[in-house]
Amino acid sequence: MAPSLEEPEPVADVIENPLKSKPQLVAPEPEHCPGPEDPDPDIPLISARLSGIKHKILVLSGKGGVGKSTFTSMLGHAFAMREENNVGIMDTDICGPSIPKMMGVEAETIHVSGTGWSPVWVTDNLGVMSIQFMLPNRDDAVIWRGPKKNGLIKQFLKDVEWGDLDFLLVDTPPGTSDEHLSVNSFLKESGIDGAVMVTTPQEVALLDVRKEIDFCRKAGIKVLGLVENMSGFVCPNCTHKSQIFRATTGGGAALAKEMGIPFLGEVPLDPGLDVHATTARVSLSRSPTVRPVRHSRRLFVAWQNK
Amino acid sequence: MSLSKVKHIILVLSGKGGVGKSSVTTQLALSLSLAGHSVGVLDVDLTGPSMPRMFNIEEAKVTQAPGGWLPVTVHEANAEAGVGELRCMSLGFLLKGRGDAVVWRGPKKTAMVRQFLSDVLWGDLDYLLIDTPPGTSDEHISLAETLLKDARPGQVAGAVVVTTPQAVATADVRKELNFCSKTGIPIIGVIENMAGFVCPNCAECTNIFSKGGGEVMAQEFSVRFLGAVPIDPQFVMLVESGARPVYPAGTMVNGKDISGANASTEQAAETSTRKDAALLADKYRGCSLEPLFNQITRDIVAAIG
């Protein structure tokens, strides 16, 4: 039987039953870091399940809508272009999963065998796992508090049969909260290779990305580099280049320099990409959009060979 | 509860991140304030607060007063000019450094949201806008839970749902509409943001994130479509550097020429980059999006009644 959320928790229960132990917070505590948490008893199981995966890469950004999922899909395709690579993409955005749509597998469901859940295979060597595959209706809202989200992420790591993978890309939701802490603590033992940060040029986005980099530092995750997305827009009519989200504070390049992390490149806005991303596979021959993806792939390959 | 003197509470929601919830909140607040209403803005995006940056009050700190926290004033009421006061509360004001990460699991976020709803001394307000993070999780559940329990009947006017036109965004926003219907929050309407970009060089309008997705979605869910808002780099500049919006000669909005006399964009950027929060509403009057939001605001006020 396929795992499904066929009978979701009635929302009235979620709303009417506040947390059992009412949290007390009298004064704000601005200084926070992922503190020591009790190690989960399932971590050895997760490590065993993931032992066939060579590299685990997180795609992070404090800000929403900057293109984490777009970048993750394209990086997935870029890795999978080499037939000898097996690639998996895990979508940990529980409330707003985008990966299935971008990969054109929105209507698929997960199959379960005696040994675990099978990911949905987009191509022979590119598999995807997302909560979207478990929803009875496409538009169903997943109204879950943190602990339930953590539980599902744990299941994704513990029960999904990835098999032998060269790369597992983990797409994350915006913010620095439950999903991020859980992914980090569940994967700590089996090892995270690092995180790629995605941003857009304007300061209002950089502000949140700075927080995410701070999170990575505190959590001990290596930042592989920063990609600036939506950097400018070339008018298809007159080829005039406009800065839609102007980098008044220097954009991603300046932030990368300030934080001492590699800057992987700028991706311009490409109206054609939406069509590609949501209807079928991203065409990787389209040069300007793809350059930073290729670059980050190369950089990663170079880095792992060190 | 501190919301007792607030007449109407409006939530700004979107399942998707980065579609412009905070930009829309900012513009609704400015627009309501310019129409003479007193407005409060509560930012419950705890891990990525944007409102302090949007209102250009990042250095401001919250003051503790007997009975709770005093929100930060963006500008005072000016009866002569017909401008209402505008106040703002955000977790951003409580952080030591602007780059500090707030790494909180759900229960802590819940506690903070509750505290924001119960301990902020808003005083008399016509409208309280609540800006939310993306998703349908802890912050949203806590908001819905607390408001359903504590708010007067009719005090929660409903939710303004923001989307961008492309399918990837509307897919998530549909989830948010279902969240609203499940939790019994009325939907005031849908705003489609980033609907097209007019090239400043040749005036060709390109639909960067495709087109019409918000309107179609609104029809499907039988909710009001409040309007499509194009991308205006001048608004981005207004927020980013405080530059007064200036348009090339001949820029027409609703049949009115809004371009300054012979002023080019570059000149404008040089002359008025001075940061001045008190003037934000004033500067916004010159933005091409102002008439649009003026109309949206009037529709919302009429819908709330």
Side-chain angles (χ1 to χ4, degrees):
Chain A
M1 202 193 80
S4 86
L5 307 173
E6 207 65 62
E7 283 175 50
E9 198 175 2
V11 70
D13 287 1
V14 183
I15 298 294
E16 278 158 22
N17 293 315
L19 297 173
K20 278 179 194 120
S21 53
K22 190 180 172 186
Q24 292 293 321
L25 189 74
V26 182
E29 302 165 48
E31 276 287 326
H32 285 279
C33 58
E37 297 184 320
D38 291 335
D40 196 287
D42 285 330
I43 286 181
L45 292 175
I46 292 172
S47 302
R49 174 68 87 175
L50 299 182
S51 57
I53 298 176
K54 288 197 195 126
H55 301 290
K56 302 173 205 76
I57 306 171
L58 311 183
V59 179
L60 294 175
S61 168
K63 182 83 187 143
V66 296
K68 284 179 295 302
S69 301
T70 311
F71 183 82
T72 311
S73 324
M74 300 204 343
L75 191 60
H77 278 301
F79 279 133
M81 267 164 51
R82 286 200 193 153
E83 276 172 30
E84 67 271 21
N85 277 346
N86 281 320
V87 185
I89 296 180
M90 195 178 94
D91 186 359
T92 62
D93 192 340
I94 309 291
C95 295
S98 305
I99 292 285
K101 195 164 195 101
M102 300 223 173
M103 296 304 235
V105 289
E106 212 189 357
E108 300 287 328
T109 50
I110 301 167
H111 298 282
V112 170
S113 67
T115 49
W117 302 356
S118 304
V120 170
W121 293 94
V122 182
T123 62
D124 287 344
N125 59 348
L126 179 58
V128 173
M129 178 54 79
S130 166
I131 191 174
Q132 185 68 39
F133 303 137
M134 302 161 70
L135 299 179
N137 300 302
R138 195 184 62 167
D139 297 342
D140 285 349
V142 180
I143 307 172
W144 285 3
R145 290 189 185 274
K148 282 199 81 169
K149 296 195 284 191
N150 299 335
L152 187 74
I153 291 174
K154 194 207 268 184
Q155 271 189 300
F156 274 177
L157 292 168
K158 189 165 68 86
D159 297 339
V160 176
E161 267 196 294
W162 291 108
D164 290 333
L165 287 186
D166 297 282
F167 299 97
L168 177 66
L169 307 178
V170 182
D171 187 27
T172 60
T176 48
S177 190
D178 287 286
E179 295 90 339
H180 311 80
L181 284 169
S182 299
V183 167
N184 182 44
S185 60
F186 291 145
L187 290 181
K188 199 94 212 184
E189 194 177 296
S190 48
I192 299 171
D193 290 80
V196 178
M197 291 279 163
V198 185
T199 187
T200 50
Q202 75 278 38
E203 179 61 29
V204 99
L206 298 174
L207 186 62
D208 291 353
V209 176
R210 209 170 265 132
K211 291 178 194 290
E212 198 77 27
I213 297 174
D214 186 36
F215 166 78
C216 284
R217 293 235 168 104
K218 287 172 174 168
I221 301 170
K222 181 186 167 68
V223 179
L224 297 174
L226 178 73
V227 177
E228 183 182 283
N229 199 9
M230 308 195 193
S231 319
F233 170 68
V234 178
C235 175
N237 187 40
C238 68
T239 69
H240 177 261
K241 192 175 175 188
S242 310
Q243 297 296 330
I244 292 185
F245 303 109
R246 194 178 284 266
T248 51
T249 52
L255 179 67
K257 207 170 168 198
E258 175 196 328
M259 292 291 191
I261 56 179
F263 184 61
L264 299 176
E266 298 170 355
V267 188
L269 274 165
D270 178 356
L273 188 65
D274 182 48
V275 179
H276 285 282
T278 55
T279 52
R281 270 197 270 158
V282 181
S283 147
L284 280 174
S285 56
R286 300 168 60 86
S287 68
T289 316
V290 166
R291 206 180 304 126
V293 177
R294 290 223 164 118
H295 181 63
S296 39
R297 180 181 66 169
R298 258 205 313 274
L299 186 121
F300 187 77
V301 171
W303 172 76
Q304 74 185 63
N305 290 338
K306 250 190 247 171
Chain B
M1 141 159 156
S2 70
L3 299 178
S4 56
K5 288 192 226 157
V6 176
K7 286 201 194 111
H8 305 285
I9 299 174
I10 300 175
L11 310 178
V12 180
L13 297 174
S14 170
K16 181 84 187 142
V19 295
K21 284 176 295 301
S22 300
S23 304
V24 165
T25 310
T26 307
Q27 298 187 69
L28 284 178
L30 290 173
S31 204
L32 281 166
S33 160
L34 286 174
H37 303 288
S38 52
V39 185
V41 175
L42 174 63
D43 183 2
V44 301
D45 191 340
L46 306 177
T47 55
S50 301
M51 293 319 295
R53 172 84 198 165
M54 287 286 180
F55 284 131
N56 212 342
I57 43 175
E58 278 187 291
E59 316 77 31
K61 290 280 173 256
V62 168
T63 357
Q64 192 99 33
W69 289 328
L70 288 174
V72 172
T73 303
V74 182
H75 61 241
E76 295 287 353
N78 182 344
E80 276 172 36
V83 176
E85 64 172 350
L86 178 55
R87 299 185 195 286
C88 178
M89 183 69 198
S90 166
L91 189 68
F93 300 136
L94 302 169
L95 299 178
K96 275 202 198 104
R98 63 199 291 272
D100 287 353
V102 175
V103 187
W104 286 354
R105 287 194 182 270
K108 229 166 176 175
K109 293 198 285 189
T110 299
M112 195 71 222
V113 169
R114 283 192 193 149
Q115 201 171 2
F116 268 159
L117 288 173
S118 62
D119 292 357
V120 181
L121 303 170
W122 290 108
D124 285 300
L125 278 187
D126 292 326
Y127 294 93
L128 177 67
L129 305 177
I130 304 186
D131 186 28
T132 61
T136 49
S137 192
D138 292 282
E139 294 91 335
H140 307 80
I141 298 172
S142 313
L143 257 183
E145 176 189 288
T146 313
L147 289 177
L148 290 180
K149 196 166 67 187
D150 295 345
R152 291 190 304 274
Q155 191 182 16
V156 179
V160 171
V161 178
V162 186
T163 186
T164 49
Q166 78 275 38
V168 172
T170 56
D172 287 354
V173 178
R174 282 159 194 273
K175 292 179 195 288
E176 199 77 28
L177 289 172
N178 276 326
F179 169 83
C180 289
S181 67
K182 280 186 176 174
T183 49
I185 297 171
I187 294 161
I188 300 174
V190 172
I191 294 179
E192 182 179 290
N193 197 19
M194 305 196 195
F197 170 69
V198 179
C199 175
N201 191 39
C202 69
E204 164 97 353
C205 182
T206 311
N207 297 310
I208 295 181
F209 300 109
S210 111
K211 188 176 181 260
E215 191 160 10
V216 170
M217 186 183 71
Q219 271 169 9
E220 244 175 79
F221 280 81
S222 315
V223 293
R224 194 181 289 109
F225 182 65
L226 290 167
V229 181
I231 297 174
D232 180 359
Q234 288 294 311
F235 175 72
V236 181
M237 284 305 288
L238 171 65
V239 168
E240 285 279 294
S241 62
R244 194 178 282 271
V246 177
Y247 298 88
T251 310
M252 307 290 273
V253 172
N254 289 354
K256 219 171 76 185
D257 193 339
I258 58 161
S259 57
N262 299 324
S264 75
T265 324
E266 287 76 22
Q267 277 175 339
E270 280 167 26
T271 51
S272 58
T273 44
R274 197 165 61 94
K275 292 198 173 197
D276 195 341
L279 280 173
L280 184 63
D282 233 19
K283 288 177 191 161
Y284 182 62
R285 275 191 222 259
C287 181
S288 74
L289 300 179
E290 195 273 337
L292 262 171
F293 268 89
N294 195 320
Q295 185 58 45
I296 291 174
T297 305
R298 268 183 283 160
D299 288 348
I300 292 175
V301 170
I304 294 172

